């Protein structure tokens, strides 16, 4: 008689976005005439840039000719893509990362969920609160998080690092007696849109090296950084090569949410005793993965071409124009808002002490705008709400104008 992995049964409730989907579907079934504007899920809306499309078409044609057909891709990714990444995302910024430290994958969600399997089950994880749910849930499935307290919405064996207005939504180093082994950081942050300064990130790197922890740094929103002195990569910090793994994605900077491409950087100096995590991740990739599609890796290469870079800069500028409209519009209307400057997410305090879900219902029912309740990302997200800048400009303007007319 088979037995299941009982850790799955510990996962609480339904996934945040399915709960939102149900509410929105019920509302639109009851009010079919209403035009709902969705600024909830973090998915891009602009089509692929022309340079990327051309690269895809070329690669598709290559696949149709015997002389240029490609079968299985190299496990760790094609050299043309890994070199472009190492050169332009890292070496050009003064980060000492080489092409053979890049592992190409089909996205950062899987990588951020899978990376925990390199580590012992008795490692203690630390996460921000609020947090991108994948980091915690993947550790729950593995059995690393202890027991769930449904009143507090926390796991007994997880260290939560509150990210609140008081610390500008960037976590403090854990106190005594709370030493983590694995530290998940995501900056620019989803959901808060907050960033971390290079000096603050350096403190985290120094801390991790001191206590022997690994930082899993999710830089999926790196392309949205607009201010100087905000690190684009953790490897801009001294000593990060011995303590940090970085996760990157083509989803948010180049619209690959449907195409699927990402990568993970594991420096060769990152070791536990004399065992290198680079070797372990290479082994995992080789055993469990057969590589991202050739055509998609060619599309990824085009992200680094001069035309591709120019076109993507415009795409991001368009999303950031939306972000500025939301930020300024809500601020003028008296809302307390943050994020939106180096990130496509605006994090706002719900008005009048409403709970996150109360404000969700109010926006949906009164002005037909959908956002994401902050409480879905962790207890410290309660009383907050996330709006994304990924809609069209028209819809964004209309949504903000509607929210401003809300009678509370
Ligand atoms: C969107 C997002 C990713 C990217 O996921 P993909 O699987 O590459 O599409 C990674 N981390 C965070 C925090 C995100 O919001």
């Amino acid at each position: 008689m088979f037995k299941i992995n009982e850790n799955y049964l510990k996962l609480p409730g339904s996934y945040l976005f399915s709960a939102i989907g149900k509410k929105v579907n019920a509302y639109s079934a009851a009010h079919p005439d209403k035009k709902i504007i969705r600024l909830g899920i973090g998915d891009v809306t602009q089509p692929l840039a022309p340079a990327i499309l051309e690269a895809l078409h070329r690669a598709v044609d290559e696949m149709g000719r015997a002389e240029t057909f490609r079968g299985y891709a190299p496990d760790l990714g094609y050299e043309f893509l890994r070199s472009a990444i190492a050169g332009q995302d890292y070496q050009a910024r003064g980060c000492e990362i080489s092409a053979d430290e890049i592992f190409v994958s089909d996205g950062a969600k899987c990588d951020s969920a899978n990376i925990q399997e390199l580590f012992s089950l008795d490692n203690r994880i630390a996460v921000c609160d609020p947090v991108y749910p994948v980091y915690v849930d993947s550790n729950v499935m593995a059995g690393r998080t202890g027991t769930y307290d449904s009143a507090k919405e926390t796991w007994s064996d997880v260290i939560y690092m509150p990210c609140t207005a008081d610390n500008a939504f960037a976590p403090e180093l854990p106190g005594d007696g709370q030493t983590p082994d694995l530290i998940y950081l995501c900056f620019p942050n989803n959901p808060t849109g907050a960033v971390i300064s290079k000096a603050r990130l350096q403190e985290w790197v120094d801390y991790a090296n001191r206590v022997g922890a690994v930082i899993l740094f999710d830089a999926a929103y790196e392309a949205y950084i607009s201010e100087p002195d905000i690190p684009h990569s953790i490897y801009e910090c001294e000593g990060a090569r011995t303590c940090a793994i970085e996760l990157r994605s083509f989803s948010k900077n180049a619209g690959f949410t449907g195409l699927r491409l990402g990568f993970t950087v594991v420096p060769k100096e990152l070791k536990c005793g004399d065992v290198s995590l680079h070797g372990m991740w290479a082994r995992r990739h080789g055993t469990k993965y057969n590589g991202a599609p050739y055509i998609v890796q060619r599309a990824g290469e085009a992200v680094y071409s001069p035309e591709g870079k120019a076109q993507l800069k415009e795409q991001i500028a368009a999303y950031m124009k939306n972000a500025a409209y939301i930020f300024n519009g809500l601020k003028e209307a008296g809302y307390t808002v943050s994020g939106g400057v180096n990130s496509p997410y605006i994090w706002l305090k719900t008005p009048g002490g409403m709970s996150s879900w109360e404000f969700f219902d109010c926006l949906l029912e009164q002005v037909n705008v959908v956002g994401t309740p902050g409480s879905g990302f962790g207890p410290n997200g309660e009383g907050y709400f996330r709006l994304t800048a990924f809609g069209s400009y028209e819809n964004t303007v209309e949504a903000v104008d509607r929210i401003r007319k809300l009678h509370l």
Side-chain angles (χ1 to χ4, degrees):
M1 175 74 177
F2 71 89
K3 288 187 182 145
I4 55 162
N5 174 353
E6 302 227 344
N7 294 317
Y8 276 63
L9 305 182
K10 298 180 192 164
L11 288 164
S14 66
Y15 185 55
L16 174 64
F17 292 103
S18 65
I20 293 172
K22 276 184 201 148
K23 282 197 176 233
V24 175
N25 290 342
Y27 180 84
S28 65
H31 306 87
D33 54 315
K34 302 282 193 196
K35 183 194 162 202
I36 294 176
I37 301 179
R38 292 161 205 265
L39 301 181
I41 294 181
D43 197 357
V44 295
T45 53
Q46 293 181 61
L48 293 172
I52 294 166
L53 217 53
E54 279 162 31
L56 274 173
H57 282 299
R58 265 197 313 274
V60 168
D61 288 340
E62 285 180 63
M63 294 296 270
R65 287 192 303 269
E67 317 81 73
T68 48
F69 170 78
R70 313 277 183 129
Y72 288 124
D75 288 341
L76 309 184
Y78 280 102
E79 188 56 34
F80 60 77
L81 180 58
R82 299 169 86 198
S83 316
I85 293 169
Q88 298 202 39
D89 282 333
Y90 295 102
Q91 290 153 15
R93 293 196 179 277
C95 303
E96 186 201 328
I97 293 294
S98 59
D100 62 359
E101 293 173 315
I102 313 282
F103 296 77
V104 175
S105 73
D106 59 0
K109 187 181 194 175
C110 344
D111 285 350
S112 66
N114 289 329
I115 196 75
Q116 48 77 27
E117 69 178 70
L118 301 191
F119 302 96
S120 162
L121 281 184
D122 55 22
N123 278 335
R124 197 114 193 258
I125 70 163
V127 294
C128 291
D129 170 20
V131 69
Y132 181 59
V134 177
Y135 313 147
V136 176
D137 289 357
S138 56
N139 278 286
V140 174
M141 292 167 172
R144 201 176 275 110
T145 55
T147 53
Y148 188 64
D149 180 332
S150 55
K152 289 194 191 142
E153 297 179 30
T154 54
W155 294 89
S156 59
D157 293 355
V158 173
I159 298 170
Y160 291 90
M161 307 182 289
C163 294
T164 62
D166 291 340
N167 56 22
F169 306 100
E172 326 281 350
L173 297 174
D176 292 339
Q178 286 256 297
T179 308
D181 303 297
L182 306 175
I183 301 161
Y184 288 85
L185 295 178
C186 171
F187 288 100
N189 189 262
N190 177 9
T192 66
V195 285
I196 191 165
S197 69
K198 193 168 160 188
R200 283 290 290 282
L201 188 59
Q202 183 66 56
E203 287 174 21
W204 277 98
V205 168
D206 294 342
Y207 172 82
N209 276 322
R210 193 164 68 240
V211 303
V214 173
I215 297 175
L216 303 160
F217 190 75
D218 185 339
Y221 295 95
E222 168 276 329
Y224 291 84
I225 294 173
S226 67
E227 293 181 320
D229 214 39
I230 305 297
H232 288 249
S233 163
I234 196 167
Y235 303 113
E236 290 177 39
C237 296
E238 220 167 296
R241 286 184 57 84
T242 54
C243 69
I245 290 173
E246 184 162 289
L247 305 146
R248 291 268 191 118
S249 167
F250 288 73
S251 287
K252 313 300 174 13
N253 65 333
F256 279 45
T257 52
L259 208 50
R260 312 301 310 142
L261 193 66
F263 62 90
T264 291
V265 185
V266 188
K268 292 189 175 152
E269 276 139 72
L270 184 45
K271 289 184 175 167
C272 179
D274 54 9
V275 180
S276 103
L277 293 186
H278 182 279
M280 288 176 74
W281 191 240
R283 184 62 197 259
R284 190 222 173 254
H285 251 254
T287 302
K288 295 196 175 183
Y289 190 55
N290 257 334
Y294 172 70
I295 58 173
V296 177
Q297 295 195 48
R298 280 293 184 201
E301 182 187 27
V303 167
Y304 297 92
S305 70
E307 306 75 39
K309 283 199 279 196
Q311 292 161 7
L312 293 174
K313 210 171 155 188
E314 280 181 34
Q315 279 199 352
I316 289 182
Y319 291 133
M320 292 313 281
K321 189 177 160 196
N322 296 346
Y325 194 89
I326 301 172
F327 186 98
N328 295 326
L330 296 184
K331 197 170 175 190
E332 278 167 23
Y335 285 83
T336 304
V337 283
S338 60
V341 176
N342 298 291
S343 147
Y345 295 118
I346 285 83
W347 189 241
L348 59 112
K349 203 161 165 37
T350 56
M354 271 188 208
S355 76
S356 299
W357 277 109
E358 280 166 357
F359 188 62
F360 175 92
D361 290 336
C362 173
L363 278 192
L364 175 62
E365 287 158 21
Q366 292 190 34
V367 294
N368 311 139
V369 172
V370 178
T372 311
S375 56
F377 299 101
N380 274 297
E382 180 57 276
Y384 284 89
F385 202 75
R386 190 190 77 176
L387 292 173
T388 85
F390 286 132
S392 67
Y393 185 67
E394 263 183 341
N395 279 347
T396 303
V397 168
E398 190 177 337
V400 171
D401 294 351
R402 287 191 200 171
I403 296 173
R404 293 184 63 155
K405 291 193 192 111
L406 196 62
H407 296 292
L408 296 167

